[in-house]
Amino acid sequence: MNSNNSETIKELNNILFRFALIDGESSYEKFLDSYCSVILEKLNQPDEDIKKKVLEVLSQINKRSLVISNVQFPVDKLLELYHLESTGMLTKNFTIIYIEKGFKTLKSADRQQFLNRIVQNIHKVPLPHQDIFCHIVLSILVSMGGGYNYPKSQADLEKQFPWKQSVEDCQVLLGFFLEFMMIPQTQMLKTAEGTLQIPQCLSHQSLQRVMGKNADKYDFKAVLERKLAIVGLLSSGVFQDTDVLVHYIIGSVDTYQQVQDRSDESLKRLPKINYENTQLIDRLYQLFMGTPENQTSVAPEQRKKPASSQLKEKIFHYFCKSLLAANKFPLTLQIIFEGVYGHESTMKLKQSAMAFVQWVFRHAAQNHIQAMGSIILSGLLKLLNELEEFQGKDVNELKAFTYTSLGLLCKRSNDLFRNDLTLIDSLMKKVSKEEPVVSAAIQDSLTMIREAFVSSTPEISSSLMTILLSYIYDRDDQIKKVIIKWSQHCFEFCNVKSRFISLILSGDTNPNTRDEAKRGLEPYLHQGNMLIPGDSFKQMYPDFNDLLKYLIDEREKLPNVQKKISIIGYSPMAYDNMLIHLRDCLKKTAFHKKLTVKQYLLQLPLETVKQYRDFIMSGLESKVGDDIHYVCAISLLQVLGACPVLLDDLQGRLVFFENLLRSSVKLELKEMFCKIIALISYLLDSDKLELLWSNTFKKLQETTDVLEIYGGMFELALVVTNYHKHCFENSGMDSKVNSVFQKNSTSINDYIQLLMSKFIDHTTQSVKVGAIQCLGLIGCYQELNVSKAEDKTRVITKLLEFVKITGSDRTIPEAAIQSLGYLSLGDPSDQVKSKIIDSLFELINNKNEELQFTIGDILCMIVGGRQMISQLSPFSPFSQEQQTVEKNEEKAYNILSTPSQEVKDKTNPEDIEKLIQRILKNYFTDRQSPVIRCSAGIWMVCLLKNFGKLVQNLLPEIQNGLISLLSDNNEMTQEIASKGITLVYESSENKEFREFLVSNLSKTLSGKPAQKAPGSSELLPEGAINKTGQVMTFKELNSVANDLGKPEMIYKLMNLSSHHQIWNSKKGASFAIVSLASQAKEELEPLLPYLIPKIYRFLYDPSPKISQSMKNIMNSLVGTQSSQKDIMAKYFQPIIKDVLSGLSNNSWRVREASCGAIPDIVSNASVDDLLPHMEELFYLNFRTLDDIKESVRKASEISIKSLGSMSARLCDPTYTTKSKAEKILSILLPFFLKGGIGNDSNDVKQFSIQQLVKISKSAKDLLVPHIPQMVQVLLESLSSLEPAGINYASQHSESLNLTKDQIESLRIEISKSTPLNDILEQCQKYIDDSNIQAVLANIMNLLQFGVGTTTRVGTYKFLSNLFQVKNYPIVKNLSEQQMSKLISTLLPSIKDQATVARNNAISSLSFLLKASPQKLRKQVILDKIMTLGNDVTDQTQLEHVLEIQGIVFRELYKHSCELQFLNKDIIPFLYFYKSHPKKEISDLYKIIWDDNSIGSIKLYCDEVIQLITKQLGSNSWSTKEQAALCLSHLTEDIKSMIDNHLPVILSLLSQGLKGRTYPGKDSLLQSLATVATVCSQKILEHPSQARELTLIMFQECKKNNLDYKRKAIPSLTTMIKALKPIDIYQDIKEEFYPTMFPSESDSTDSMKVDGEDQDEDPKSKPLRLLIKNSLWSLIGEAYASSSKDTKLQNSDILDRLLSQYRSCVWNEQVSILQSIKVILQSCSIDKITLITDKSQELLYSCMQESIEQSKYTVVKKAALDLIEELFLLQLVSKDTLISKFKTNLDILTKLEPTLSLQSEKILNLLK
């Protein structure tokens, strides 16, 4: 054994010996504090003997600790030992045991200080030790309390918990906390037999980790508070939110309600969590599943159990927020099946699992769905089968989740469902059987599944249709809706069976079902899983023949119940819709075959047509009401008109139709039946026809029933009309009917007379109108068969009277006009025509446009002559307008007209030209009223439509006349003119003439003089067309056509632009120029790339008329189904170019329209298309944002918002690709920074700022290369964006009573609310090594040249934030040279004139210094900061500099800057200026001193004394004052160690007291007195020095300054008392006796206190009294301190004092009594007797007066003190005192409670 080991063992033996001497708890703790760590440290030595000895000592300590259980181990020293690098593992093992023991007995308040030391580098200690430390951490957290107020800011958290930045340390704590949070309550930890069971989510090993190996001994009462403490720390912000989410989830299902509540609350407060964090999702999966069984490598004690059902529910909830969780296959599949089929699964867990299934189906990658879809599908179906046996609310909810999941799976993988129609069938069956909530889910599922069958194979489609058809007669409304939607979405509109389903269910009793079914009867197209309206012109309808056969065949298969409803086989409403749809299909089928309806029916097999007729007849034969009969009659008439051969079978049904005629009550229906009867009557033999005529005529004569009259009139009229029609067509009399009317030629005449005499003036309007119409029908094919010419004249005259009827009801006039037209056809005489025409021209002032259309048609009929009779269809079931529309459709389908329809070669154009000339000359002139011009235009349009090709030579004149109508303000007139102009062009047959028409129209619309056509004499003069109303639209269209190089296109565009409501009426619709529209589409197709951009901008024209017209054109050109995206995909580039040019156009209308177009452009265009135009779009939009026109500005606001939203999205790399986002940022950011924020327009500035906020949030790390520029521009903009009111306030600060600092503070407060701060905050997040140099360069530039307080303050704050965020290691890595340059640039700013700017600059400087190297920090503080005032001489400036220096140090300490190495320089500096005479400065330095607990000055006394010495010698009185104050404070602060510095301090005090009086010098008086008191013994070692100091103080008492003298005298008293026996009584006597004892003073008394001097300052009297009071004490102390000889020489002192007693005020009396007491004490010591008989009596008298008469308790107490002293000194006998004062003492005892104790004490002494 070497000597060192021997010494060590010897030391341990000594320690053991001391241990044996311990006799109590306190001594034991002292022992442990001194030796515990020393003993443990010896274990580091390798010698075994030493280790044995250490273990022996430790054994004794352990035994003693069992007896004294509450002993406190030195935790601080043990922790220090544990963390030493030299400490071995054995030592650590023993040390941590005692650390654990120490914490158990440590007070709660003392534990918190060790938290950081324990957690710091906890990841580096062994795992067993980690667990112990984690338990200790828990105890510390519990001691902090659940309501511990954690810091709010991250900076404060980092300061309080520095280990926060260590990820490894945090993970150790979080891992332990996670396992601890899983501990259940006691009763849940054991089985019923009492054995320990492992809780969910834990293993045996982890359970032992958190509870120890013996769980029975664990303190379960502490579990709750420990869990609450854990949640409290987790919610403080110390850890990342993603790291603590799992803890909260576990806590939210904890068995303790308080833990649940706190965890739930914390979950709600969590900000946005990154649910795509791989570690987080993996942790949740591990928690959910535990240790999988297939992981055999895991030891049994380490295998963790899966989570509880409740926790699994919670985990599923958060999985439904993570895309990553949805793609964790095969784990995703495992937890789904575990949640659904696990043996511990609950109903709620199954629901949560199904919610996660839905999430997976929505968000899992397609490859996962394809791979795992079939497995999941089988699992879902299995679950549904199992649930069939259960019922209840929870079961229904689970079923609903499952069915919805089926639908979602189908949307992702159609192939899984496409071939499984049995599933579809089973789902449809369950719709009506399940509960409502489940049924709704099944319906939603079926909606999603049907997408798989949209484009199925024929076999699957056929099978699917069979399933659908099996449910059409189901009673449940829900299943009906389902099959309706399936039939529509899965089959084309032309599918017969699909339409059959819609037709059947359109007659359902449920109105909702009916409405849904009727939608299937309108053309539609498929768009994904949605339906959009189809184009009726292009749409393929079901084939008429196929649909008819299917309806007839299915009628035979109808269920019996359905057949009993009515005899027609189907429900009435369904049958009604069937007939209507059959008519539509008939027409469309014919048109698609390029045939008319009649031609198509004639081509069909006769048997098919008869089936159709019989199908219609079945409706007429049923008693289902007039509405159904009306539809049947229309269909029947259509068939009979096309196929007259069908009439043969109906001859025997004449009575049937007559019965229907009489039974019907609808007038329209009666007309239909009359037409059918008339058609059949032609086939009757003469007898039957005569019988029919006579019976009907007779009834008509006799009846008064309005309905019978109406039916009878039309029946006879139509029979005659049919007869005349056949005669006309056969060019003679027909033999079959000739005999009837030849035998009784007067029959028609009688009928006409009956109409004229009985019905033409009937009181019932319907009868009157019927009579008028019947007259027209009779005369349309032949002249009226009347016996006298006067009768015909009377008929015409009567009808003309009806024409002239005015009023809102136009029924009678229109009927009369129609009849007159018919009569003109039957009677072609010029006299009749002229009379009718003249009468019609008289109606030109009528404002009713539809009436004018009727007149126009009749005028065409009149001038067209008998050749127009071919257009008559009196037996058609459709109106004339409907027939015209159908003919237009035939033209659109290019169906050739029959020769009989051509009238060109059979019409005399002279009458037509004459009529047109009359209209042009008389009614198109400007002199006519707008109503007349409008009516004339309508007539002209009608004439052009029918005879335009016959008047070629009039077309130029007609066009000019119509152009003149364009200038009319009436919109209807303008549209009529445009329609007419289009017809002019369409009618022209000569190519050259067409070119002339185009040129004429184009020049006229442009305001240029129109050229003159050959043979034309009247053209419009220049400028005849104004720019108002609809003409603006035509002008724009003319411009578009000319730009395209196709001026003739103006006609087509004008036709397409019509939008007046008149064209939607029956009359207006007949004027649709369908051929021109269809030709326009074809001709314009090549020009669309040029035309669409022109038209597109006009869609947003501020004029609603122009906008609507252009929309019509656009819809015509691209179709109503084309979306904006389709248009943009084809024509984006020309559109954007046109819009961009429009934004800078001189016309405000163009600018406004261009602004209006932008939102739709940017929302529908692609990123690649927009990218090249982004900057120009913003630039031009900024110009319009400040437009002079308000409407343009408003439109620009909308467009700029859409641009902003779009650009913000495009800058987000999650929305677009990263490369595209970078390109957009590189374009937009510089633009907004330069051209946006710096724009003169305030609106542009505000938008640019808002846009930068959005971009900075969305672009994220893509901002990195732009940060330097952004920072500079944004900081510069802080000042330029100030409100104007601030500048006003600055200029008028005096009138507003505002200081400059207040205004500057206001600037800063306002700037805090600007969004620029948010952008700058975002910028800080993306500063890295790549841009830090550029950022700092820009900041230094702003520090030097930045203008405006707001900019400067913003720069300082940004710099502060940059250097205080510890997440930026880049800042800490700056070189010393860079930091020095930055600090040097910032230093001048700390002298900023604006207080708020100065303070922020100082704060920024403190952060820079904190981050600087120590060497640089020292250089700046010592050479720059502390020397700021060296060259300053002005006192005000010096105080300003001191304030700056103080604020600098305050900020440095506030931000925890490391300054300890400069304490020797800084602390004396701070201490010195802590004594500054100016309160504001001294308070500042005191705050620094106190807040940072700088504490004792003892270590730096020498430095402070050096500083004081220097300053005391200053020539500045203010500096001397401060030095004196500091010296005073120093002497007070270092009392306990002043001996060490006594010579220097005395020298300083002596130096400071010499000379004149200056402010602050009085503080030295008390300092000297204090030093003399504290160091009296050392001073008295040198009597001469003591006397010198006393005399120095005495000299100060002689100063004339009363206030100074008042302070000097008490200080001298104190010194004399401390430095006894210093004898200066004679000096005091000479100086102050004349003042105190006036009898000895001369006439020049220096201390007048009674007001003898009338000129004395009243304020000095209190000071004089105080001085006099202090002098009584001084005299007493000076006498007591004097030598015995001096005392004997002045033995009259007592008499002198008593002689002045009564004349003194109360406080002087107290001082005199106290001085007498002191004098008597000193004389007693020196055995000198001062009390004589005289003085004794005087003394008693004064004392008795004080006790009896004084009202001041303090005087009485001083007297009692003197009595007691006299007794104790035995200067007076006891009896004397009793005789003199007993009575007084008794009275005091009773009456003076405050003095009673002292009185009783004296009385007791005297007994």
Side-chain angles (χ1 to χ4, degrees), residues 614-634:
D614 295 340
F615 186 77
I616 299 170
M617 286 297 296
S618 62
L620 292 174
E621 293 169 352
S622 62
K623 298 179 180 180
V624 289
D626 285 357
D627 291 335
I628 305 297
H629 285 173
Y630 183 71
V631 175
C632 294
I634 292 175

Side-chain angles (χ1 to χ4, degrees), residues 1699-1744:
S1699 65
Q1700 297 297 320
Y1701 183 81
R1702 289 187 175 89
S1703 62
C1704 294
V1705 295
W1706 66 271
N1707 56 348
E1708 290 184 73
Q1709 289 179 348
V1710 173
S1711 298
I1712 290 173
L1713 291 174
Q1714 291 175 345
S1715 296
I1716 292 173
K1717 179 181 175 183
V1718 171
I1719 290 170
L1720 291 176
Q1721 288 175 344
S1722 66
C1723 290
S1724 175
I1725 296 172
D1726 293 337
K1727 301 191 185 301
I1728 298 174
T1729 302
L1730 295 180
I1731 301 177
T1732 62
D1733 294 339
K1734 178 182 177 182
S1735 60
Q1736 186 175 6
E1737 289 300 325
L1738 185 57
L1739 178 61
Y1740 294 158
S1741 174
C1742 291
M1743 292 167 65
Q1744 285 175 341

Side-chain angles (χ1 to χ4, degrees), residues 57 61 117 250 297 331 598 1063 1199 1387 1484 1491 1524 1677 1762:
V57 178
I61 291 175
R117 293 178 62 183
I250 294 174
S297 59
L331 294 179
K598 183 176 181 180
W1063 309 117
S1199 66
L1387 268 174
L1484 173 62
D1491 288 354
E1677 290 292 344
L1762 185 56

Side-chain angles (χ1 to χ4, degrees), residues 796-815:
I796 294 174
T797 304
K798 190 66 176 178
L799 291 176
L800 291 174
E801 290 178 3
F802 288 138
V803 167
K804 297 177 182 179
I805 294 176
T806 58
S808 58
D809 188 0
R810 54 185 176 85
T811 307
I812 295 177
E814 280 199 4

Side-chain angles (χ1 to χ4, degrees), residues 233-277:
L233 178 65
L234 296 179
S235 59
S236 66
V238 174
F239 304 102
Q240 296 295 324
D241 294 325
T242 306
D243 294 336
V244 300
L245 177 65
V246 180
H247 299 72
Y248 289 148
I249 294 174
I250 294 174
S252 65
V253 297
D254 197 84
T255 53
Y256 292 100
Q257 186 63 42
Q258 291 173 273
V259 179
Q260 279 191 36
D261 296 341
R262 287 285 299 275
S263 299
D264 284 333
E265 183 181 355
S266 299
L267 279 172
K268 293 176 183 177
R269 292 182 178 179
L270 278 180
K272 188 175 182 181
I273 297 294
N274 179 17
Y275 291 104
E276 309 311 317
N277 184 291

